[in-house]
Amino acid sequence: MAGPERPPPPRDSVEWEGRSLLKALVKKSALRGEQVHVLGCEVSEEEFREGFDSNINSRLVYHDLFRDPLSWSKPGKALPGGPLEALRALDKRTVSGPATIALDSLSWLLHHLPCPTLCQTLHALSRQDSCPGDTPPGEQVRVLGLLHEELHGPGPLGALSSLAQTEVTLSGMMGQASAQILCRRPRQRPTHQTQWFSILPDFSLELQAEPPLESQPRSDPHTPSVDPTTHLTFNLHLSKKEREAKDSLTLPFQFSSEKQQALLRPGLGQATSHIFYEPDAYDDLDQEDPDDDLDV
Amino acid sequence: MSVQGKLTLLCDAKTDGSFLVHHFLSFYLKANCKVCLVALIQSFSHYNIVGQKLGVSLTAARERGQLVVLEGLKSGVDVFFRPREEPHPLQFLREANAGDLQPLYAFVRDALQPVDSGEAAWRCPVLLVDDLSVLLSLGVGPVAVLDFVHYCRATVCQEWKGNVVCLVHDSGDTEDEESDVLLNGLSHQSHLILRAEGLATGFCKDVHGQLRILWRRPLQPTTHRDRSLTYQYKIQDKSVSFFAKGMSPAVL
């Protein structure tokens, strides 16, 4: 993925977690020789570093906001100034060389800082104030932020989205993870892309082709799907002829133009109906009209 | 004990998941762990009675110092009769705006702090909370509850390699934003989620519900790992029987 200057928040959900992807991106940056600063709010340093080899761990600086973010511990283990100062301090640390800042997570920061303050600080962090010409390419700062989508309303989500040059939303199908990537470049139309991927145990990112369409989503691979109409004692299927006959049937209450014509001109080409009657011995056939003697 | 340093989230939707709390309580007591039970829903005697059916005596455990219980129903009233200066774990009940749960965290920390001197060595410390959703009803904000669990996780799980088990309710279709933020936030923090759900078709005499087990934050990210399992269950007097979906003895 191309390196943007503005923060791309990988958005995850409970079912498709994003920390593995964040770690994979951190690993990529470290392998490029960049220094990586991680502001860790949700997991311990030990847990975040797990799975990385010593080469990557040596390039990773972990700013621990996990152990005591709100200064509740008696001998204070907190970073001075609390979460906001810790975030602002990252700006001052990344003066030399290209660097990546990973925020784990933006959701935690959003819960503990006012949204406008957070957005302003992120804006300053990604150096948008300086013109692109001033900052030499080697000193660009890439900011990655992990955001848990379900924890926030549309307002804060929208505000953070507007800051981001790239948005990666995680989902998946049948155990296979996918990323919806929305890329916004200045003066260009936003581009949308879906990328299937998997993350290996050493946090290398492996891009994959789309899984075949024949596989049904959300079907349990262990149980074969059963056709419920197979062992019935009555017939639910229609043969081709039956289906054609059924389709060509006009329903009695549908008033089509043919029907209208037929009603307006009765008797033309219409078969008249006959009644066949065979009288038996006891019938009294009287041809007179029984109403004749009525004096009306 | 293979599982240590983990946060297990118990969640129930359209059913009562408290049987899971009783299970974990008796499980950890039998495993010789030091247990702190934050009981906000039921009285101590209720847990004791159920515990006896499951083979543990909570009274005995409390007497020998293995079990520390915060009885919310009783001590919630104490808050109002104590002088203001004395900190109380449920102090937030007295505040105009509920604030944070630092006093409650301090109570847990003091209860489970490993002691070096003389005492019989218990295995890892365990925190059980029944339940977190009631804190929302008592006026605590969801972020404050998440912060409390965060600190418990940092201290009990990370520092002392113990376990934390919390029960929370899923409000389901009712659009309770705070409850959703709490449930989703906790889910993101958890290593293991046990979700007890009522059956979609309604109440059944022989199958009381189904249990979904979801592993989150696997240590090794893999794509082919079976991340969730579903079982159905029936609660009996002294145990719970589990079976695969559709395989209840009553319907076979």
Side-chain angles (χ1 to χ4, degrees):
Chain A
M1 277 186 217
E5 286 95 340
R6 296 181 228 175
R11 290 196 189 184
D12 73 353
S13 60
V14 173
E15 228 189 301
W16 297 97
E17 59 93 23
R19 188 162 292 109
S20 305
L21 180 61
L22 185 72
K23 284 175 78 165
L25 295 173
V26 159
K27 175 174 174 167
K28 269 195 143 183
S29 295
L31 288 176
R32 267 195 297 259
E34 293 175 14
Q35 206 185 35
V36 181
H37 291 268
V38 179
L39 185 64
C41 316
E42 290 194 351
V43 297
S44 65
E45 181 170 357
E46 194 185 318
E47 193 176 328
F48 194 89
R49 287 187 185 273
E50 202 170 331
F52 287 149
D53 60 32
S54 54
N55 179 26
I56 301 182
N57 271 323
S58 61
R59 295 200 155 275
L60 209 156
V61 180
Y62 195 84
H63 304 267
D64 195 343
L65 259 189
F66 169 74
R67 272 197 310 174
D68 190 6
L70 308 171
S71 306
W72 283 6
S73 293
K74 284 194 203 110
K77 302 174 201 160
L79 289 179
L84 185 56
E85 282 314 308
L87 189 57
R88 286 184 175 146
L90 289 173
D91 194 13
K92 300 174 189 87
R93 281 172 212 268
T94 59
V95 238
S96 57
T100 296
I101 297 176
L103 303 171
D104 179 12
S105 66
L106 277 174
S107 286
W108 193 94
L109 292 168
L110 202 50
H111 275 152
H112 293 86
L113 299 171
C115 187
T117 312
L118 179 62
C119 289
Q120 284 166 0
T121 314
L122 287 176
H123 189 95
L125 207 53
S126 45
R127 307 239 168 115
Q128 287 193 27
D129 292 341
S130 57
C131 313
D134 285 359
T135 331
E139 288 205 9
Q140 281 174 359
V141 175
R142 186 178 301 114
V143 182
L144 305 171
L146 176 61
L147 190 65
H148 306 305
E149 209 174 30
E150 323 105 312
L151 300 183
H152 310 286
L157 284 180
L160 285 173
S161 289
S162 66
L163 281 178
Q165 195 176 63
T166 310
E167 247 180 73
V168 179
T169 308
L170 299 175
S171 60
M173 202 167 79
M174 279 182 61
Q176 184 63 43
S178 75
Q180 313 288 329
I181 306 166
L182 177 64
C183 218
R184 289 189 202 94
R185 286 190 196 86
R187 292 180 292 280
Q188 285 181 34
R189 287 183 70 192
T191 54
H192 214 123
Q193 190 194 351
T194 303
Q195 178 65 60
W196 296 86
F197 68 95
S198 66
I199 298 176
L200 303 175
D202 67 349
F203 292 100
S204 309
L205 188 58
E206 193 181 80
L207 302 179
Q208 288 171 342
E210 196 174 325
L213 284 170
E214 298 100 59
S215 47
Q216 290 169 7
R218 287 186 214 100
S219 68
D220 186 349
H222 300 300
T223 56
S225 54
V226 174
D227 181 13
T229 59
T230 37
H231 301 298
L232 295 172
T233 52
F234 47 89
N235 184 23
L236 275 180
H237 298 287
L238 290 173
S239 70
K240 192 161 175 242
K241 268 190 154 174
E242 287 168 335
R243 195 181 295 277
E244 280 172 1
K246 182 184 166 194
D247 288 336
S248 60
L249 198 63
T250 44
L251 297 170
F253 301 109
Q254 265 186 310
F255 199 66
S256 62
S257 60
E258 291 91 11
K259 202 160 182 172
Q260 188 180 28
Q261 295 304 315
L263 286 171
L264 288 173
R265 284 182 234 140
L268 267 181
Q270 295 276 338
T272 52
S273 53
H274 296 273
I275 300 173
F276 296 95
Y277 176 58
E278 282 213 0
D280 57 14
Y282 301 101
D283 275 331
D284 178 23
L285 283 175
D286 189 358
Q287 299 294 336
E288 282 181 9
D289 187 358
D291 294 326
D292 271 352
D293 54 354
L294 279 178
D295 192 14
V296 178
Chain B
M1 187 139 59
S2 56
V3 178
Q4 279 196 313
K6 299 284 174 267
L7 169 61
T8 302
L9 182 66
L10 309 176
C11 167
D12 60 19
K14 291 190 193 156
T15 192
D16 182 13
S18 57
F19 70 95
L20 291 166
V21 175
H22 295 296
H23 159 75
F24 278 104
L25 180 57
S26 63
F27 172 76
Y28 282 120
L29 284 174
K30 284 182 194 169
N32 217 26
C33 294
K34 178 104 190 261
V35 178
C36 174
L37 172 65
V38 176
L40 301 172
I41 296 291
Q42 299 281 6
S43 66
F44 174 78
S45 54
H46 172 86
Y47 294 98
N48 198 21
I49 292 169
V50 180
Q52 277 170 0
K53 290 189 184 175
L54 298 175
V56 287
S57 164
L58 298 197
T59 325
R62 193 160 63 168
E63 276 163 15
R64 60 176 179 259
Q66 187 189 6
L67 175 65
V68 178
V69 181
L70 173 66
E71 232 181 314
L73 293 172
K74 236 173 49 175
S75 63
V77 182
D78 283 345
V79 168
F80 297 97
F81 295 108
R82 273 201 194 184
R84 255 181 193 276
E85 302 76 41
E86 274 181 42
H88 188 281
L90 300 180
Q91 206 161 300
F92 64 88
L93 290 172
R94 202 158 53 185
E95 319 274 310
N97 47 343
D100 62 38
L101 293 172
Q102 184 182 1
L104 186 59
Y105 161 70
F107 171 84
V108 169
R109 189 192 54 215
D110 295 338
L112 289 176
Q113 183 121 44
V115 201
D116 298 320
S117 62
E119 224 178 79
W122 306 112
R123 288 173 82 177
C124 63
V126 175
L127 169 66
L128 269 157
V129 185
D130 179 20
D131 62 48
L132 290 171
S133 298
V134 75
L135 291 170
L136 293 180
S137 311
L138 292 170
V140 185
V143 177
V145 182
L146 289 173
D147 286 340
F148 164 70
V149 177
H150 175 116
Y151 266 88
C152 292
R153 202 162 47 97
T155 310
V156 179
C157 295
Q158 182 56 34
E159 206 178 314
W160 297 334
K161 303 290 179 245
N163 292 328
V164 175
V165 180
C166 303
L167 176 64
V168 73
H169 303 301
D170 185 353
S171 58
D173 297 330
T174 63
E175 283 174 23
D176 188 342
E177 222 178 271
E178 288 195 338
S179 174
D180 289 341
V181 169
L182 178 61
L183 177 61
N184 288 323
L186 287 171
S187 303
H188 277 286
Q189 288 193 38
S190 311
H191 299 89
L192 176 66
I193 304 176
L194 298 178
R195 198 183 148 89
E197 298 167 345
L199 296 176
T201 42
F203 178 73
C204 168
K205 197 177 57 137
D206 297 298
V207 179
H208 291 152
Q210 69 183 21
L211 187 72
R212 264 189 19 194
I213 306 171
L214 177 67
W215 282 274
R216 269 212 103 241
R217 292 167 60 186
L219 295 175
Q220 292 296 320
T222 57
T223 49
H224 302 295
R225 181 180 174 143
D226 202 22
R227 292 222 231 145
S228 86
L229 286 176
T230 306
Y231 292 103
Q232 290 179 336
Y233 63 85
K234 177 178 179 178
I235 302 175
Q236 288 155 334
D237 188 42
K238 293 190 179 178
S239 65
V240 181
S241 52
F242 291 91
F243 33 86
K245 268 165 119 172
M247 303 290 273
S248 159
V251 301
L252 285 176

